[in-house]
């Protein structure tokens, strides 16, 4: 189904809107007829390991990305490869070439090769399982855990989930708390970490209660409570709060490595059950769907099917806004037939845009709220003027694209997009 426009950063009053899904269980949708995996993207090529007609099992390798840090992708269903160049929408908002697999619903599995429970063995399992940062960043976890230049002694678990509407991490922690703790223990071995700290927002009292109970006898794993602000889930913010110091490029400069809670649950699946990353929990929410839900899905499932599974769109949807991911950092979509990836945290549907862009009021809110202390409106003006020197002076390259400036702007000026473009200009991309 085609939808109204691209990303909606202007969403009514900000209250987090997590109440729509945070107290719900996890709906399962694990039997799609077809699943899709990138075979080629404008920004990334893949080595394709299957051909049309091949029979595959869950866990069989489909592709290896031809990136500086290659990542393996596995089939999430058992069945037959029916295409390797099908044109399918991707969460980035672009149409790409994809591998299509027809599900035979037999759920046959190829398990990962067993590795020793050592630092090297666990990192190798994580690599073979194709685990990436599941909070949205998608950085390969085995690379993150290698950091040869730095000695780490602390694992920080990002359980903050600060983007509005998204509750997939919190709900996953509640459902898979024991698996999370075990995943933390494996990650501690992989990182030589003597302690782990789970960073969670103080407002998630139900999550905190479950974790406190489980951590009673765990001397080396503790909780660190953060206030309910956006972007408390930003890695730099969390590291500063937990470690009491900041870093220039990587958290391991402070002796810490950070992993998202969902990533650690996937690590437990890989090490304990020898299962690669082929499933994830995502949040389907917004005022455009009848029944907001957290859903456990196979990677590669089409968003349209998942929305249908939750109960579909509201009857008066109108010119909808569809986002893959959270409202602040996700990507706007023109069609709901996009594939879910390992990094897709949510599918959000909103009935209407709050209004058109107006002239800047000079209120300074974008400046006051920028977590990196940038001047978004000045950077936008410099970008509009194609004034690179000014963009450099204004440190546009420091933008973390959190979306807060666009979100906060009463004139609904699309600042994040402009600052993101200025960042590229400064970095020469
Ligand atoms: S998107 Fe960039 S400029 Fe805007 S608030 Fe976030 S960091 Fe600051
Ligand atoms: S928040 Fe919007 S209206 Fe206020 S100064 Fe920034 S760009 Fe202008």
């Amino acid at each position: 189904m085609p939808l109204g426009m691209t990303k909606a950063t202007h969403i009514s009053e900000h209250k987090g809107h997590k109440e729509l899904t945070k107290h719900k269980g996890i709906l399962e949708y694990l039997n799609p007829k077809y699943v899709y995996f990138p075979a080629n993207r404008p920004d990334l090529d893949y080595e394709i390991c299957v051909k049309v007609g091949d029979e595959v099992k869950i866990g069989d390798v489909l592709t290896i990305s031809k990136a500086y840090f290659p990542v393996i992708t596995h089939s999430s269903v058992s069945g037959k490869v029916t295409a390797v160049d099908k044109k399918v929408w991707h969460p980035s908002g672009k149409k790409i070439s994809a591998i299509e697999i027809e599900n035979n619903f037999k759920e046959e599995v190829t398990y990962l090769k067993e590795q020793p429970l050592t630092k090297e063995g666990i990192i190798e399992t994580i690599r073979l399982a194709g685990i990436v940062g599941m909070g949205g960043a998608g950085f390969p976890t085995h690379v993150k855990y290698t950091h040869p230049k730095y000695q780490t002694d602390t694992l920080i678990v990002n359980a903050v989930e600060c983007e509005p509407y998204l509750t997939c991490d919190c709900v996953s922690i509640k459902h898979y708390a024991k698996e999370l703790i075990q995943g933390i223990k494996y990650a501690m071995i992989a990182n030589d970490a003597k302690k782990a700290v789970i960073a969670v927002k103080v407002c998630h009292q139900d999550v905190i209660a479950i974790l406190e109970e489980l951590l009673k006898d765990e001397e080396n794993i503790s909780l660190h409570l953060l206030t309910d602000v956006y972007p408390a889930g930003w890695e730099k913010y969390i590291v500063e709060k937990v470690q009491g110091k900041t870093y220039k490029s990587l958290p391991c400069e402070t002796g810490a490595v950070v992993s998202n809670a969902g990533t650690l649950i996937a690590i437990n699946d890989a090490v304990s059950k020898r299962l690669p990353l082929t499933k994830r929990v995502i949040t389907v929410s917004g005022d455009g769907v009848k029944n907001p839900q957290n859903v456990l899905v196979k990677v590669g499932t089409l968003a349209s099917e998942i929305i249908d599974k939750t109960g579909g769109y509201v009857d008066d949807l109108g010119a909808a806004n569809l986002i893959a991911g959270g409202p602040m950092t996700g990507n706007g979509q023109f069609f709901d037939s996009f594939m879910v990836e390992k990094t897709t945290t949510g599918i959000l549907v909103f009935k209407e845009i709050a209004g058109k862009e107006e002239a800047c009021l000079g209120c300074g809110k974008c400046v006051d709220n920028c977590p990196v202390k940038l001047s978004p409106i000045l950077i936008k003006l410099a970008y509009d003027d194609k004034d690179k020197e000014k963009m450099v002076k204004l440190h546009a390259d420091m933008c973390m694209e959190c979306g807060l400036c666009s979100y906060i702007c009463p004139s609904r000026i699309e600042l994040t997009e402009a600052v993101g473009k200025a960042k590229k200009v400064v970095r020469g991309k």
Side-chain angles (χ1 to χ4, degrees):
M1 166 181 179
L3 290 121
M5 58 155 277
T6 55
K7 184 175 173 182
T9 39
H10 313 297
I11 300 155
S12 60
E13 255 326 87
H14 165 45
K15 293 193 186 77
H17 303 279
K18 290 179 187 279
E19 71 287 350
L20 291 171
T21 50
K22 75 184 251 190
H23 298 300
K24 293 188 176 175
I26 298 179
L27 185 73
E28 289 192 358
Y29 179 50
L30 297 172
N31 53 353
K33 178 76 179 153
Y34 291 95
V35 283
Y36 300 89
F37 302 88
N40 207 342
R41 283 174 20 194
D43 57 332
L44 191 59
D45 277 343
Y46 295 84
E47 177 189 340
I48 300 172
C49 308
V50 289
K51 57 184 185 315
V52 173
D54 282 358
E55 299 284 344
V56 292
K57 294 180 182 173
I58 295 167
D60 279 346
V61 175
L62 300 178
T63 63
I64 304 169
S65 60
K66 290 182 186 168
Y68 190 66
F69 300 120
V71 176
I72 299 170
T73 295
H74 309 80
S75 181
S76 57
V77 299
S78 56
K80 187 183 270 187
V81 178
T82 43
V84 293
D85 57 356
K86 185 109 178 173
K87 297 289 176 264
V88 181
W89 289 101
H90 182 260
S92 61
K94 298 186 173 74
K95 205 167 213 181
I96 63 157
S97 196
I99 294 172
E100 179 187 72
I101 300 179
E102 184 178 1
N103 195 351
N104 64 13
F105 303 105
K106 290 183 184 166
E107 292 287 301
E108 299 156 312
V109 181
T110 299
Y111 292 95
L112 296 170
K113 190 169 166 244
E114 195 161 358
Q115 305 289 332
L117 269 183
T118 58
K119 173 184 173 71
E120 292 74 21
I122 291 171
I123 292 177
E124 179 62 359
T125 298
I126 291 169
R127 185 187 74 79
L128 291 172
I131 295 175
V132 296
M134 290 170 72
F139 190 76
T141 304
H142 69 279
V143 178
K144 189 181 243 192
Y145 286 3
T146 307
H147 49 77
K149 266 169 55 189
Y150 298 97
Q151 186 68 41
T152 49
D153 62 4
T154 305
L155 172 75
I156 299 177
V157 182
N158 185 348
V160 175
E161 194 167 56
C162 62
E163 279 224 42
Y165 290 94
L166 298 185
T167 56
C168 53
D169 273 359
C170 282
V171 170
S172 295
I173 296 169
K174 285 193 274 182
H175 273 73
Y176 309 114
K178 284 187 182 150
E179 289 82 353
L180 170 67
I181 303 299
Q182 191 54 52
I184 290 171
K185 289 179 182 174
Y186 292 138
M188 286 171 74
I189 297 172
N191 287 287
D192 299 317
K194 292 179 189 64
K195 64 178 194 304
V197 180
I198 307 176
V200 60
K201 273 191 191 175
V202 71
C203 56
H204 297 315
Q205 283 300 320
D206 46 356
V207 173
I208 293 167
I210 290 170
L211 290 174
E212 276 179 343
E213 180 62 28
L214 279 176
L215 296 180
K216 272 196 311 210
D217 301 321
E218 300 289 348
E219 277 181 21
N220 304 323
I221 309 176
S222 59
L223 292 180
H224 187 104
L225 305 187
L226 295 171
T227 47
D228 186 15
V229 293
Y230 183 86
W234 181 32
E235 202 160 80
K236 218 162 195 170
Y237 180 89
I238 297 176
V239 171
E240 202 174 316
K241 293 290 170 197
V242 173
Q243 297 288 81
K245 53 188 167 186
T246 191
Y247 59 88
K248 202 166 170 220
S249 309
L250 296 168
C252 50
E253 292 163 29
T254 71
V257 65
V258 185
S259 272
N260 159 271
T263 309
L264 290 156
I265 294 168
I267 289 175
N268 175 63
D269 282 349
V271 180
S272 296
K273 303 175 197 163
R274 293 168 45 215
L275 290 172
L277 175 49
T278 61
K279 289 188 278 193
R280 70 156 299 145
V281 178
I282 65 168
T283 302
V284 178
S285 193
D287 61 6
V289 289
K290 277 187 187 152
N291 186 20
Q293 278 284 1
N294 296 291
V295 194
L296 177 66
V297 298
K298 301 247 179 178
V299 172
T301 306
L302 295 182
S304 49
E305 290 181 27
I306 301 168
I307 293 168
D308 277 354
K309 179 70 186 174
T310 64
Y313 295 112
V314 292
D315 297 334
D316 58 341
L317 184 61
N321 300 291
L322 176 68
I323 300 172
M328 314 296 266
T329 60
N331 290 312
Q333 305 291 318
F334 283 107
F335 293 91
D336 58 4
S337 51
F338 65 89
M339 64 181 82
V340 162
E341 284 226 277
K342 296 173 189 177
T343 52
T344 309
T345 48
I347 302 169
L348 303 182
V349 187
F350 301 103
K351 284 205 283 196
E352 58 190 43
I353 318 163
K356 288 206 179 82
E357 183 173 310
E358 288 165 20
C360 172
L361 302 168
C363 68
K365 281 188 179 178
C366 56
V367 182
D368 294 344
N369 287 282
C370 173
V372 202
K373 306 198 187 323
L374 300 179
S375 301
I377 183 61
L378 295 183
I379 296 172
K380 181 185 182 325
L381 294 174
Y383 177 76
D384 291 346
D385 291 344
K386 298 189 174 56
D387 188 340
K388 182 172 175 183
E389 204 181 319
K390 209 165 189 179
M391 290 181 244
V392 173
K393 266 193 197 149
L394 291 165
H395 303 291
D397 59 316
M398 298 291 290
C399 173
M400 56 183 271
E401 295 179 58
C402 66
L404 199 52
C405 48
S406 293
Y407 194 76
I408 215 94
C409 175
S411 294
R412 296 175 290 278
I413 298 170
E414 189 40 270
L415 296 161
T416 306
E417 195 181 318
V419 181
K421 285 177 181 166
K423 175 178 166 180
K424 281 190 183 145
V425 171
V426 173
R427 291 188 175 177
K429 287 184 183 165

